[in-house]
Amino acid sequence: MKRGTASLGVVLLLTSIIVAVGLVGALLTSVLSTGILGARAGAQAFAAAQSGVDDGFGRILHDGYTDDGPADACSPELGKYCYDLFPLSGAQTAVVMAWQTGVCAKARAYTVTAVGTSFGKHRKLVATVEVDCVTHLTKFTGLSEEPVQASDVP
């Protein structure tokens, strides 16, 4: 009888060790997949913001904005235009284009701010471009990633 009792104890000990290892493996898999999903969501948010910047530049180049700006400005003051994009599944982009108002003397500076959102992750890109008032020659002057503020989130 003692021999059977000892082997029962060993079997129970080995079973509990195997279950513990399985639970640790499941927990590690869950944590690693959550980290990977977070990184993927961040990359999708960045891609969404980049598409917003690209779209903003396309509108500057092809829409022929006048000195007064587009008719459907998103705020009462002229010189600000806002819209949303949905470039990727599960992601969206809020874009704000702003420019100097008034008579254009030499060049007009445009700022395109795009906030990409994907599964709770947010990335913000701010790009600037200058357009010559006479020749309409367009010059890209900068692109930077900035911290996302609560007011930036769509």
Side-chain angles (χ1 to χ4, degrees):
M1 278 228 179
K2 289 188 173 202
R3 181 181 264 183
T5 306
S7 61
L8 177 62
V10 170
V11 167
L12 288 175
L13 179 65
L14 288 175
T15 303
S16 63
I17 290 173
I18 291 171
V19 168
V21 168
L23 288 175
V24 168
L27 179 65
L28 283 175
T29 301
S30 174
V31 167
L32 290 176
S33 67
T34 302
I36 291 169
L37 290 176
R40 182 175 179 183
Q44 278 187 334
F46 185 84
Q50 182 65 49
S51 70
V53 167
D54 293 344
D55 186 76
F57 284 158
R59 290 175 189 236
I60 291 169
L61 292 172
H62 301 294
D63 286 351
Y65 288 116
T66 65
D67 286 343
D68 294 332
D72 53 349
C74 69
S75 60
E77 72 273 5
L78 294 175
K80 199 170 189 182
Y81 178 57
C82 305
Y83 57 95
D84 290 325
L85 295 174
F86 298 92
L88 303 168
S89 61
Q92 72 178 46
T93 307
V95 181
V96 177
M97 293 174 37
W99 56 89
Q100 300 164 329
T101 59
V103 177
C104 186
K106 184 178 178 187
R108 177 158 306 211
Y110 289 82
T111 302
V112 178
T113 304
V115 177
T117 302
S118 178
F119 299 106
K121 299 287 184 179
H122 309 287
R123 302 288 288 272
K124 177 181 178 181
L125 292 177
V126 178
T128 54
V129 65
E130 286 184 358
V131 179
D132 188 281
C133 297
V134 177
T135 64
H136 301 288
L137 180 66
T138 304
K139 178 181 169 186
F140 176 77
T141 56
L143 175 68
S144 63
E145 184 172 8
E146 295 184 0
V148 178
Q149 307 297 324
S151 60
D152 297 328
V153 178

